[in-house]
Amino acid sequence: MTALDIPPSLAQARPTSIFVVAIGLSGTAVMSATWHGHAHPGGQSLLHVALQAGLMTAAMMLPLAAGAVSVIEERTLRRRRKQAVTEHAAGFAVVWFLFGASTWLVVAPAAASFGKATLFAAASAFAIFWQLSYRRRALMEREAALGAAAVSGLRAAAGTVRAAAGEGIRCMKVCWPSMLAVMAAPNIAFVGAWLAVYFYEWLPGPNPHGRRRRLVPAVGYALVAFTALAPATPPPS
Amino acid sequence: MTVRKRVSSQAAAADLSVYAEGVRLMKERSKIDRMDPLGWYYQSRMHGNPQATERRADEPEDWSQCQHGSWFFLPWHRMYLRQFERIIQALTGEPEFGLPYWDYPSASSITIPKDFLDPASPLYDEDRNFGQSTVAAPTWQDQRRFDLVGGRASEVPIHLGEFPGFLEQNPHNPVHGAFGGNMGTFQSPLDPLFWIHHCNIDRLWEVWLRMPDRSNPDSRSWSDTTFDFPDPADGRRRIRVSDVATTKAAGYDYDELTAPAESFRGSLDMSRDRDQGDVLELLGAAKGGSVAERHEVRLERDAVADRFARAPEASPQPLFLRLENTGVGGGDATQMWNVFVRVGAEDWLLAGTIAPFGLAGLTERGGRQTLTFDISHLSSALLEADAPIEVKFEPARRGVTAEPFFERVAVYTLPE
């Protein structure tokens, strides 16, 4: 067993799921290169907000959509599988894009009012609390079926997008506090820390309650990382 | 090594007595302390609660941990039974005890062992609502992919997942459905029949594994996953799926592992069945509805032509009917429906049985299940004729009122 065993959906190596993950990795790279700290006091242009939300969606959320790719492909005629996966990615991403863009518009003024450090500390504390809560765990383990679309035509496309949006909303209910913390983060390393927590959480291994026990030290490590990174945080621009 | 024997055999008589005594002792422990992990009540709640809902925050972490509807169904229940067996061994001081298995031919022809019918016996459960049912014959023995037999891959353990395997769908679910009462709910381990029923399902997994060209998943996401159980010697025990992937690995054996005859599909070239990583191939689908209605699925001719263009002329071909995102509003596992199919003016054929074990609870919280039935015996007529496949449903036992519904009905084949 290596520490980095990949989940079964990816282990099945569907080319389209690799494609979706690749978009996510590209988004991560661009986001890393352009990161200046999100919650700038003061106004931001809509274009900038849209760009940041889009990058966050591509980098952090699309890889999560890859888990459903094998089900999407199976439920689709071979000739339109690629199209269906694209529709799924779009439907999933649009939920997170709207969440990201609308939250950004709130985070920036909040940072201006309360201070960037205060906002980040409050968002992180809430995210850690949520991460360890029973409520989140119950939502994460809740069984939910991906909607089955029509076989062909516009109804097929609409059904796939609608099902993906439902999947995106379920995902958002589980992850929104940590995404809020990420958006208030002053340093790209904090984003990496949250990604590490997520990845650790989804590694194969213990059963649900064992998984939770494993999560506690993970969040502890993240806190240590946050503390260590704090001095390196650039002052608000 | 512990050897598990057929419950109806003379050889199992001693084990059956030990089983009864063990159950009595476990019930006694629960009377003294309901939260005793080795007690009867606590063990039943480890499986689940009557509504098959998730564990509540104020409940022990052991509770509501059973795995259904995914590839963890078989290994989790094997661990559960093995630990239960160890508890009986420890409480009775009988280290050679082996849990008997209940070798019913099918859910349609169940004979309850007489020890379980005596109201004075610890093996009796007054809550049973037994009703003879007529259900489809199991077809697990014809499948060579683990995901079809044991359930589909799930990234994380899941209490009641979306894709049960053939063994879970039949005979597992219909036997629960034949009894109702405790057996019809997720707290079914309250009925001593549960344990010998699951012992048989466990045996059938091993039988399947020993048939030609069968194997367990090779993914570490499956084999490295662990589950925790109370243990009479160690207090708690963490068990890895790979520790129980075979009965030999788990430390016990069965007295009888003869494979049942495969149906006609056994004569086909099914080598592609083993490619478990590839998804099935959709050939056609139609909007779903209720089991109260008839449904028609017309295959997409270009999909059929594309898929079978290079296939050998020989028929039949592997075909599966799927009821996707199936739910039901209320009722327990007794609310069983038989699925009939036909092409053109042919006779209706019984293709499978919907036995909604836990499905009402799942439906209530927004989940659904996709049920799969082997309809290969229709392939010659279906692939050659330009007629739709018709699907209808009939109650499989008396007193069925809950009507399952599904989002889509679809026909699949194995990938090339």
Side-chain angles (χ1 to χ4, degrees):
Chain A
M1 162 72 185
T2 62
L4 300 180
D5 196 8
I6 53 177
S9 55
L10 296 185
Q12 288 175 1
R14 310 294 305 163
T16 34
S17 64
I18 293 170
F19 168 70
V20 173
V21 172
I23 294 175
L25 292 176
S26 308
T28 307
V30 176
M31 188 165 71
S32 305
T34 60
W35 186 277
H36 300 299
H38 284 154
H40 292 296
Q44 292 181 326
S45 71
L46 278 178
L47 181 64
H48 180 250
V49 168
L51 179 66
Q52 293 287 25
L55 286 173
M56 184 198 77
T57 301
M60 305 187 72
M61 294 305 148
L62 277 182
L64 296 176
V69 163
S70 66
V71 177
I72 305 284
E73 290 200 318
E74 186 165 75
R75 287 182 171 176
T76 307
L77 292 173
R78 179 176 284 277
R79 62 178 153 81
R80 69 175 301 278
R81 279 181 177 171
K82 283 178 186 160
Q83 183 187 338
V85 170
T86 306
E87 289 158 0
H88 177 76
F92 190 87
V94 79
V95 171
W96 276 106
F97 178 79
L98 291 175
F99 170 82
S102 55
T103 310
W104 233 291
L105 295 174
V106 177
V107 165
S113 300
F114 303 111
K116 194 172 175 180
T118 308
L119 180 71
F120 176 57
S124 294
F126 180 66
I128 290 167
F129 165 77
W130 174 251
Q131 195 77 11
L132 295 173
S133 69
Y134 167 79
R135 176 69 183 155
R136 176 182 182 274
R137 189 181 140 202
L139 281 173
M140 196 170 81
E141 291 168 11
R142 179 154 293 172
E143 309 87 342
L146 191 67
V151 174
S152 57
L154 273 177
R155 286 194 307 129
T160 307
V161 171
R162 190 169 52 243
E167 192 85 344
I169 289 169
R170 279 194 292 275
C171 179
M172 192 178 73
K173 284 178 179 174
V174 174
C175 298
W176 69 269
S178 47
M179 287 303 105
L180 194 62
V182 161
M183 285 158 58
N187 191 306
I188 188 70
F190 291 102
V191 181
W194 272 113
L195 278 175
V197 168
Y198 277 138
F199 189 67
Y200 191 68
E201 186 175 44
W202 284 88
L203 282 177
N207 58 9
H209 57 262
R211 198 171 290 272
R212 177 166 166 259
R213 279 197 291 273
R214 196 169 63 166
L215 192 58
V216 174
V219 173
Y221 298 142
L223 281 171
V224 171
F226 285 6
T227 308
L229 288 165
T233 302
S237 55
Chain B
M1 179 182 277
T2 301
V3 177
R4 296 179 178 173
K5 307 176 188 77
R6 178 187 295 120
V7 71
S8 55
S9 70
Q10 196 59 39
D15 280 338
L16 204 50
S17 298
V18 174
Y19 181 42
E21 175 61 8
V23 171
R24 188 187 70 75
L25 291 169
M26 290 178 75
K27 287 180 175 176
E28 284 296 317
R29 289 180 78 107
S30 287
K31 276 183 193 165
I32 296 166
D33 177 8
R34 272 163 65 96
M35 302 310 286
D36 181 346
L38 306 187
W40 188 250
Y41 178 78
Y42 191 98
Q43 287 285 317
S44 75
R45 292 301 300 270
M46 283 176 59
H47 189 273
N49 60 39
Q51 293 76 36
T53 52
E54 304 139 343
R55 182 187 71 85
R56 292 200 313 266
D58 59 348
E59 291 176 342
E61 291 194 325
D62 284 336
W63 286 13
S64 296
Q65 294 301 315
C66 73
Q67 303 289 305
H68 290 80
S70 83
W71 63 354
F72 294 118
F73 168 71
L74 292 169
W76 187 89
H77 284 86
R78 176 166 285 176
M79 296 173 193
Y80 187 44
L81 260 64
R82 184 65 176 136
Q83 287 304 106
F84 176 79
E85 194 171 56
R86 284 168 59 85
I87 292 169
I88 300 266
Q89 288 170 347
L91 295 183
T92 59
E94 296 282 356
E96 299 299 313
F97 165 74
L99 188 64
Y101 62 87
W102 187 16
D103 59 329
Y104 41 76
S106 82
S108 299
S109 49
I110 287 178
T111 304
I112 306 171
K114 62 177 173 40
D115 299 69
F116 293 77
L117 293 171
D118 176 6
S121 167
L123 302 180
Y124 182 74
D125 180 15
E126 63 183 12
D127 201 34
R128 287 175 198 145
N129 174 27
F130 180 69
Q132 203 60 257
S133 49
T134 303
V135 303
T139 54
W140 56 268
Q141 68 273 18
D142 296 329
Q143 319 306 326
R144 300 193 187 189
R145 291 168 54 126
F146 183 90
D147 59 344
L148 287 176
V149 171
R152 194 183 178 114
S154 171
E155 313 239 348
V156 291
I158 190 163
H159 192 38
L160 185 48
E162 193 181 343
F163 294 96
F166 275 60
L167 263 176
E168 183 176 347
Q169 281 187 203
N170 193 0
H172 169 264
N173 284 0
V175 170
H176 278 283
F179 284 91
N182 287 322
M183 272 288 272
T185 75
F186 262 35
Q187 210 176 349
S188 41
L190 280 178
D191 189 333
L193 281 173
F194 167 91
W195 301 93
I196 62 170
H197 164 43
H198 265 276
C199 196
N200 194 44
I201 300 297
D202 184 72
R203 186 182 69 93
L204 296 180
W205 177 18
E206 187 65 19
V207 166
W208 180 83
L209 260 184
R210 295 187 185 199
M211 293 171 76
D213 301 324
R214 272 75 164 171
S215 63
N216 284 326
D218 56 8
S219 166
R220 287 174 172 164
S221 297
W222 185 75
S223 58
D224 286 355
T225 293
T226 61
F227 295 94
D228 292 356
F229 292 87
D231 186 80
D234 305 328
R236 294 198 68 75
R237 197 164 171 224
R238 174 161 288 185
I239 308 174
R240 194 176 291 271
V241 167
S242 57
D243 295 338
V244 298
T246 62
T247 54
K248 186 179 177 188
Y252 62 87
D253 204 354
Y254 286 99
D255 66 349
E256 173 68 61
L257 288 168
T258 307
E262 290 181 70
S263 67
F264 65 89
R265 286 193 60 206
S267 62
L268 297 174
D269 172 17
M270 303 300 285
S271 54
R272 58 180 171 271
D273 278 28
R274 292 194 297 275
D275 185 8
Q276 305 191 5
D278 215 351
V279 297
L280 301 186
E281 186 94 20
L282 178 68
L283 295 178
K287 194 174 188 312
S290 158
V291 295
E293 307 153 0
R294 283 194 185 186
H295 301 265
E296 273 189 10
V297 185
R298 193 172 285 279
L299 301 193
E300 300 281 321
R301 299 323 297 184
D302 54 345
V304 172
D306 183 40
R307 167 61 183 78
F308 292 103
R310 289 178 299 280
E313 289 294 316
S315 287
Q317 297 291 345
L319 281 186
F320 302 96
L321 180 80
R322 271 193 164 162
L323 304 179
E324 295 173 336
N325 297 348
T326 304
V328 66
D332 63 5
T334 61
Q335 304 295 301
M336 296 190 288
W337 291 78
N338 282 325
V339 184
F340 292 87
V341 291
R342 75 172 178 185
V343 177
E346 302 284 329
D347 291 337
W348 289 99
L349 290 168
L350 177 55
T353 301
I354 304 171
F357 184 56
L359 191 56
L362 179 69
T363 305
E364 197 176 327
R365 56 183 185 271
R368 300 286 187 273
Q369 280 198 325
T370 288
L371 306 176
T372 308
F373 307 100
D374 191 330
I375 56 166
S376 301
H377 45 278
L378 282 187
S379 63
S380 304
L382 192 56
L383 295 173
E384 289 161 17
D386 192 22
I389 179 171
E390 287 184 84
V391 185
K392 73 170 183 177
F393 305 87
E394 290 178 3
R397 63 173 277 174
R398 283 186 192 169
V400 172
T401 54
E403 294 178 353
F405 51 87
F406 44 91
E407 191 175 359
R408 196 174 81 161
V409 52
V411 175
Y412 289 86
T413 188
L414 291 170
E416 247 181 306

